[in-house]
Amino acid sequence: MYDVIIIGAGPAGMTAALYASRSNLSVLMIERGAPGGQMNNTAEVENYPGYESILGPELAFKMYEGAIKFGVENAYGIVQNITDQGEFKEVVTEDKTYQGKTVIIATGCVHRKLGVKGEEEFAGRGVSYCAVCDGAFFRNKRLIVVGGGDSAVEEAIYLTQFASEVTIVHRRDELRAQKIIQDRAFANEKISFIWDSVVEEIKGNEMVVTGVQIRNVKTDEVTEEAAGGVFIYVGLDPLTEPFKASGITNDAGWILTNDQMETSIPGVYAVGDVREKGLRQITTAVGDGSIAGQQVFDFIETQKDAQLTK
Ligand SMILES: Cc1cc2nc3c(=O)[nH]c(=O)nc-3n(C[C@H](O)[C@H](O)[C@H](O)COP(=O)(O)OP(=O)(O)OC[C@H]3O[C@@H](n4cnc5c(N)ncnc54)[C@H](O)[C@@H]3O)c2cc1C
């Protein structure tokens, strides 16, 4: 039986592993792919303190080296579900069952795709899902932002620092974003809107995005807009299918925790992008991981004290 089983080896899971193993706990980290999570899909990270700029996979490797140096055990596996057996938890992968006194869920999320032609092809070459990460690479370019919720409008405002012009393409005739955010966008001279419209195709040359094909959903009119980049904010999907039966997710599928990363099941924690939270970044994932890594130590010590006083 492990003291801690960590599911997912992105920045949140790896930081939790570092903190828990430095407290001399036995730690198993289960990952379905390469350690690093979304950092492996990030060309350059320019907002991780201590580095002016670092390649995502390089940061992932450095974090991994640091995370395992105090004796973390690794296992490959796709976790299917967890069950609370009272004194311990069971974590089930496709071919194995592991037991742990505590579990830290760090499975992250995926950006919902538009599912249109050109999206996959130009990912990382003009198609982005993260303005905070990639905005600075689009200085003086005209950008298209797809979506009408808080993220889309907030990120469009953020992008005006770099872009010559930002056009929000939204499938309805009004935004879903909070009023105060909408007001800021309407007041921003660099932002324009294309209403009642969907992006049907992202176009480019052999190197980069050059524009989008747009269809008006009311009139069916098809037009083309030139653009140097397309930022897509049509939602994020948490990777929480294996945990839904445990009752720790909200209606949208995100895991609910308190400030100590505790879920509603004692001894089960959630960290990083998989949580219901405001800002999903490497820094916030790392912060969550450190808190949970320390919390599991306190939880196990409290359980030991309780056993002794029985
Ligand atoms: C293109 C892109 C660029 C970005 N750029 C930046 C940036 O510049 N700066 C920044 O701060 N943030 C950036 N982000 C966001 C940042 O990468 C995330 O906020 C961060 O990685 C979240 O960390 P995490 O550990 O919570 O989740 P993740 O990094 O998503 O890691 C979760 C891990 O869990 C594993 N997993 C999932 N389900 C299972 C399962 N059932 N069983 C086993 N393993 C599982 C996954 O394989 C993955 O390795 C970017 C994101 C993207 C997509």
Side-chain angles (χ1 to χ4, degrees):
M1 162 125 44
Y2 293 93
D3 289 325
V4 197
I5 298 177
I6 297 170
I7 308 169
M14 291 195 287
T15 308
L18 170 64
Y19 273 69
S21 59
R22 277 191 85 226
S23 299
N24 222 14
L25 301 179
S26 59
V27 180
L28 174 71
M29 188 160 63
I30 306 174
E31 169 59 54
R32 64 177 185 174
Q38 294 172 59
M39 291 189 295
N40 289 326
N41 306 324
T42 307
E44 249 178 288
V45 177
E46 288 187 332
N47 56 2
Y48 192 73
Y51 295 98
E52 200 178 311
S53 169
I54 183 164
L55 300 176
E58 190 185 346
L59 183 58
F61 185 68
K62 282 179 189 288
M63 271 193 205
Y64 178 69
E65 278 186 321
I68 59 164
K69 73 179 174 198
F70 295 104
V72 172
E73 225 177 278
N74 284 288
Y76 169 81
I78 304 170
V79 170
Q80 316 279 308
N81 68 64
I82 58 168
T83 53
D84 184 12
Q85 305 287 349
E87 303 261 302
F88 63 92
K89 328 287 168 206
E90 272 185 351
V91 177
V92 181
T93 68
E94 65 280 36
D95 57 359
K96 279 198 180 123
T97 298
Y98 300 95
Q99 293 182 340
K101 292 178 190 163
T102 60
V103 170
I104 300 176
I105 301 168
T107 47
C109 65
V110 284
H111 286 277
R112 198 171 297 152
K113 300 261 161 53
L114 265 185
V116 299
K117 196 171 166 215
E119 184 177 13
E120 292 281 324
E121 190 184 343
F122 293 107
R125 293 192 293 142
V127 172
S128 173
Y129 304 85
C130 180
V132 177
C133 321
D134 299 333
F137 301 118
F138 293 88
R139 281 180 203 280
N140 304 318
K141 295 218 183 323
R142 183 188 183 202
L143 299 177
I144 298 285
V145 170
V146 188
D150 285 352
S151 309
V153 182
E154 272 178 342
E155 303 298 276
I157 295 167
Y158 177 83
L159 286 167
T160 57
Q161 295 175 73
F162 313 105
S164 57
E165 188 187 339
V166 177
T167 301
I168 297 177
V169 178
H170 187 38
R171 65 195 158 119
R172 301 208 174 91
D173 59 4
E174 58 182 2
L175 299 171
R176 277 184 297 108
Q178 293 170 48
K179 181 79 173 53
I180 188 164
I181 301 170
Q182 292 193 26
D183 289 347
R184 273 188 216 134
F186 291 136
N188 191 315
E189 285 177 358
K190 280 192 174 178
I191 297 182
S192 60
F193 298 86
I194 299 180
W195 302 108
D196 297 316
S197 297
V198 291
V199 169
E200 283 196 325
E201 185 180 342
I202 297 166
K203 296 184 174 242
N205 54 31
E206 53 292 343
M207 296 295 289
V208 288
V209 163
T210 55
V212 290
Q213 181 176 302
I214 290 171
R215 182 174 58 83
N216 184 300
V217 291
K218 288 193 172 155
T219 63
D220 262 344
E221 187 193 355
V222 173
T223 51
E224 290 204 3
E225 296 286 330
V230 182
F231 284 77
I232 299 169
Y233 294 100
V234 291
L236 292 169
D237 289 321
L239 292 171
T240 50
E241 209 45 53
F243 318 113
K244 284 192 177 151
S246 308
I248 56 176
T249 55
N250 64 12
D251 287 348
W254 303 99
I255 300 181
L256 296 170
T257 71
N258 60 16
D259 287 354
Q260 305 306 316
M261 309 302 139
E262 293 166 317
T263 68
S264 54
I265 304 174
V268 177
Y269 301 78
V271 293
D273 279 12
V274 77
R275 289 174 60 218
E276 174 65 50
K277 69 196 285 198
L279 183 65
R280 293 191 170 88
Q281 290 279 279
I282 300 167
T283 46
T284 58
V286 160
D288 289 358
S290 58
I291 292 170
Q294 181 60 37
Q295 281 298 313
V296 289
F297 177 78
D298 295 343
F299 179 85
I300 290 168
E301 288 300 304
T302 309
Q303 298 293 102
K304 277 189 203 159
D305 289 346
Q307 289 293 333
L308 287 174
T309 53
K310 257 188 192 172

